[in-house]
Amino acid sequence: MCGITARVGTDDSLDALLASLKNLEYRGYDSAGIAVQNGTGIKVSKHEGEVAQLESQLTSGDVFGEVGIGHTRWSTHGPPTNENAHPHTGCQGRVAAVHNGIIDNYTTLREGLQSRGHEFTSDTDTEVIPHLVEERLADGMAPEAAFRETVAQLDGSYAIAIIIDDDPTVYATRNGSPLVIGVGETANYLASDVPAFLEFTDQVIYLEDDDIAVITPDDYRISDGNGSWVPRPVETVDWDPEDAEKGKYDHYMLKEIHEQPTSLRQTLHGRIDGDDVILEEFPPGTFEGITRVQFVACGTSYHAAMYGEGLLSEWGVDANSFIASEYAAYPAPVDENTLVIGVTQSGETADTLEALQRARDRGARTLALTNVIGSTAARTCDDALFIRAGPEIGVAATKTFSSQVATLVLLGERLVRDVTGEPTDEHSQRLAALESLPGDVETVIENSQAAAVSRRCLGDTGHFFVGRGSAYSVALEGALKFKEITYEHAEGFAAGELKHGPLALVTPETPIFAIGTGRHQNRLESNVREIQTRGAPVIAVAPRTDSELADTADEFLPVPATHSALVAILANVQLQLVAYHAANEMDRSIDKPRNLAKSVTVE
């Protein structure tokens, strides 16, 4: 939630700050703002709405500076207004601050500041930060000391960056929210995520909790909360800057749907050798002694976790998936033989990180399955496995879901071999099908009739998605995608549950997407007939070889015939396209759906 960026150079930073904010809008787009300084004071410009609205008011040329910070907001404290937009300043205007996260004790801090004569102009928790820094500067503290003293008073989760008048420096820290430094040739950068400055540098330093970063035009220094210098490695990000651009596509979501063959090839590259799974991080025997697997995740990642749970359970491993926020509040039993896998695209999802911490505290082994090297989950878990999907900008996750599931299939094969001593049944066929998966996804995208189907669904009162086994998790994911970007009612169900209540909602105005994998088809066909008896149209998404389901359904979106464990991944691509085209027809804000942001770093 919220995107922070900063640039420290010897030339004007305005254009780079605006470009970085545009790159970060997937983290929030309720309001945006920048603050710059060039030795003659701090100039703040901010506006409710998207970055484009901020940019439109920066045409006079009076906002410029070598040092600057920026922010794009997802609202927590206070509505999205000009007053609540970041950056915030203190009474004297000497300090400007941007913040991602929540300051839990801001009410106490604010009351104390007000009792000492400070006046506030916003509803945000962030505004206490520049006031506290200014107070310490007024007491004669040096800027870095004033920042440290302020941070020591804050409780909660946060990433913070500030600038101070007459000081060509950005001061920053994090605790539970991500921050990364970009080391450039003529300037240095800071942001919540790498895509913010990827067009300027691919040299990055991931900050850890309680790090204090002091960034100048030609240097940076990182120390811990006690002021001791700490080395942090400089890493090279292998993402291409074009990966974070829309290119020829109208929306990031459509681009990322079309990128799935490439992202899957990256996911699978070097990890399958004939009948063997090759995971360099996890050689054979890595998981010997594991007797139980638990998945913790949120949203789309939770649906991928459910997919993984089903596979492992079928293959003889005790596995369960949990919504991370529920697991954090009501953790399941674990011991030293329990492996808890956090599935998180960003590696920064607050609920998932808390669930993993609960598991670690109680003696479980933890593993992060994530897309981001250097993320908090990757650094704090015992192990990490990367899905290698490349940057995903669209708020509605697409390519990361397919790469998460493909990675979970590989990890499952390794787990089963270590836990049971034997490979899974049909492992040869499944691995061969996995290698063919990128091409199969390409076939779906090239031949999909989802656009025509989606147009026939417009104006309906609800949309149901049903499936069995792995198709159940994809039914949930299909419904989530549809509701995320169309704002229309959509629900996913296990197909057998329809007759236990949800069938009461089925009418001729509730199209139902039935997802088939080639298994238990007789039962699914029976469910389809139950639905049609109530007058509802059925759109089947299943292997093209399933002629009976194709004949029974009112519409048919075929996918290539492949191993039944993987069919639902292909069906999911069709459902992504259905949601996209429906939302496009309805003129929705597809890449920036209302009230949502991509990285949920607050609880």
Side-chain angles (χ1 to χ4, degrees):
M1 306 303 209
C2 300
I4 288 174
T5 190
R7 183 183 186 271
V8 194
T10 55
D11 57 346
D12 188 20
S13 289
L14 179 61
D15 288 344
L17 287 171
L18 288 171
S20 295
L21 285 179
K22 291 175 184 176
N23 293 339
L24 282 178
E25 275 198 291
Y26 59 88
R27 294 186 64 93
Y29 29 85
D30 290 340
S31 61
I34 60 167
V36 293
Q37 63 103 329
N38 55 18
T40 61
I42 292 176
K43 180 72 173 180
V44 176
S45 183
K46 54 187 182 177
H47 202 286
E48 66 175 293
E50 299 180 4
V51 175
Q53 293 174 267
L54 169 69
E55 189 174 24
S56 68
Q57 72 178 27
L58 292 170
T59 56
S60 62
D62 62 339
V63 177
F64 62 92
E66 296 85 2
V67 181
I69 54 177
H71 188 272
T72 181
R73 182 173 185 243
W74 185 84
S75 303
T76 53
H77 291 72
T81 63
N82 290 345
E83 293 77 16
N84 289 333
H86 297 213
H88 291 287
T89 57
C91 294
Q92 303 167 19
R94 291 190 63 193
V95 178
V98 291
H99 162 231
N100 171 31
I102 295 176
I103 306 299
D104 292 333
N105 62 334
Y106 89 99
T107 300
T108 301
L109 294 172
R110 182 172 177 140
E111 290 172 351
L113 286 161
Q114 288 173 322
S115 70
R116 297 191 295 275
H118 290 259
E119 297 182 358
F120 287 78
T121 61
S122 79
D123 303 315
T124 70
D125 54 340
T126 303
E127 197 179 354
V128 300
I129 297 168
H131 285 272
L132 289 169
V133 176
E134 281 192 351
E135 218 174 40
R136 279 145 189 77
L137 292 173
D139 290 340
M141 283 190 181
E144 183 177 345
F147 183 60
R148 286 183 179 279
E149 287 287 325
T150 296
V151 171
Q153 285 193 267
L154 306 179
D155 295 332
S157 66
Y158 48 77
I160 300 166
I162 71 165
I163 56 175
I164 300 173
D165 187 22
D166 295 326
D167 184 1
T169 307
V170 167
Y171 299 90
T173 189
R174 61 157 287 177
N175 179 42
S177 293
L179 272 184
V180 57
I181 295 173
V183 182
E185 293 183 2
T186 60
N188 289 320
Y189 303 84
L190 179 83
S192 300
D193 285 338
V194 171
F197 52 68
L198 191 56
E199 61 196 274
F200 306 115
T201 181
D202 61 358
Q203 302 297 296
V204 305
I205 302 168
Y206 294 97
L207 297 182
E208 298 190 9
D209 280 352
D210 301 322
D211 281 353
I212 301 285
V214 179
I215 307 168
T216 58
D218 55 4
D219 200 7
Y220 60 87
R221 177 165 46 85
I222 302 169
S223 55
D224 61 20
N226 298 318
S228 301
W229 181 85
V230 290
R232 297 282 180 250
V234 179
E235 302 181 30
T236 301
V237 177
D238 62 0
W239 292 347
D240 190 313
E242 292 185 3
D243 291 343
E245 299 174 359
K246 279 191 291 192
K248 64 181 181 180
Y249 296 95
D250 292 334
H251 300 94
Y252 280 111
M253 182 180 179
L254 185 61
K255 173 178 181 275
E256 288 156 2
I257 290 172
H258 281 255
E259 285 178 341
Q260 285 176 105
T262 299
S263 62
L264 282 166
R265 289 186 181 100
Q266 293 169 178
T267 295
L268 299 172
H269 179 70
R271 289 174 165 176
I272 300 175
D273 183 8
D275 288 349
D276 290 333
V277 171
I278 310 297
L279 297 177
E280 292 183 2
E281 307 92 331
F282 308 110
T286 298
F287 299 109
E288 288 180 359
I290 293 297
T291 59
R292 177 194 300 142
V293 175
Q294 296 174 353
F295 294 96
V296 291
C298 304
T300 288
S301 293
Y302 174 67
H303 300 150
M306 286 181 62
Y307 205 124
E309 172 202 356
L311 293 176
L312 284 180
S313 296
E314 183 179 346
W315 297 342
V317 176
D318 182 1
N320 296 97
S321 56
F322 300 87
I323 295 173
S325 56
E326 289 296 301
Y327 187 96
Y330 306 102
V334 300
D335 56 28
E336 67 274 11
N337 297 318
T338 303
L339 177 67
V340 178
I341 301 173
V343 184
T344 162
Q345 183 279 136
S346 66
E348 303 292 349
T349 309
D351 291 326
T352 304
L353 293 175
E354 184 182 2
L356 289 166
Q357 184 61 54
R358 291 294 182 91
R360 277 196 304 276
D361 291 344
R362 293 159 57 241
R365 180 174 172 181
T366 56
L367 186 155
L369 191 136
T370 182
N371 195 35
V372 182
I373 297 171
S375 62
T376 300
R379 288 185 288 102
T380 57
C381 284
D382 298 309
D383 298 294
L385 181 58
F386 299 101
I387 67 172
R388 308 193 304 206
E392 185 177 67
I393 306 301
V395 169
T398 52
K399 67 179 183 178
T400 51
F401 176 84
S402 56
S403 285
Q404 283 173 334
V405 173
T407 307
L408 284 169
V409 174
L410 294 172
L411 180 61
E413 293 279 358
R414 165 60 60 232
L415 272 163
V416 171
R417 296 183 195 207
D418 285 354
V419 172
T420 69
E422 299 290 338
T424 62
D425 292 339
E426 301 182 3
H427 68 279
S428 297
Q429 301 95 309
R430 192 180 302 107
L431 292 179
L434 202 55
E435 289 189 291
S436 300
L437 188 62
D440 289 340
V441 170
E442 206 156 24
T443 298
V444 172
I445 294 170
E446 289 174 353
N447 299 292
S448 178
Q449 297 299 308
V453 169
S454 68
R455 284 192 291 271
R456 289 193 280 274
C457 294
L458 296 179
D460 290 312
T461 59
H463 304 79
F464 291 171
F465 297 74
V466 300
R468 293 176 177 270
S470 58
Y472 171 42
S473 61
V474 165
L476 294 174
E477 175 60 13
L480 177 62
K481 282 295 152 288
F482 200 90
K483 72 181 75 173
E484 276 183 314
I485 62 171
T486 68
Y487 315 152
E488 297 295 312
H489 178 71
E491 286 191 71
F493 298 102
E497 281 296 293
L498 275 180
K499 55 185 173 292
H500 296 288
L503 206 56
L505 300 175
V506 172
T507 73
E509 285 73 46
T510 51
I512 295 184
F513 292 84
I515 305 152
T517 64
R519 300 183 63 187
H520 311 298
Q521 289 306 90
N522 290 339
R523 293 185 178 185
L524 184 61
E525 289 165 17
S526 176
N527 298 140
V528 167
R529 292 188 181 93
E530 290 172 354
I531 294 163
Q532 291 173 321
T533 299
R534 276 74 183 175
V538 174
I539 303 96
V541 189
R544 61 179 71 255
T545 52
D546 194 337
S547 56
E548 288 194 27
L549 190 57
D551 293 340
T552 303
D554 300 282
E555 303 272 4
F556 186 54
L557 291 174
V559 300
T562 186
H563 193 281
S564 60
L566 306 181
V567 170
I569 302 175
L570 302 176
N572 187 63
V573 178
Q574 289 279 28
L575 298 180
Q576 291 170 350
L577 289 166
V578 167
Y580 172 81
H581 288 296
N584 200 36
E585 286 285 336
M586 300 168 77
D587 198 28
R588 301 302 195 210
S589 179
I590 291 174
D591 287 333
K592 304 169 188 175
R594 67 186 182 198
N595 302 331
L596 301 179
K598 189 158 191 69
S599 297
V600 185
T601 55
V602 296
E603 297 175 4

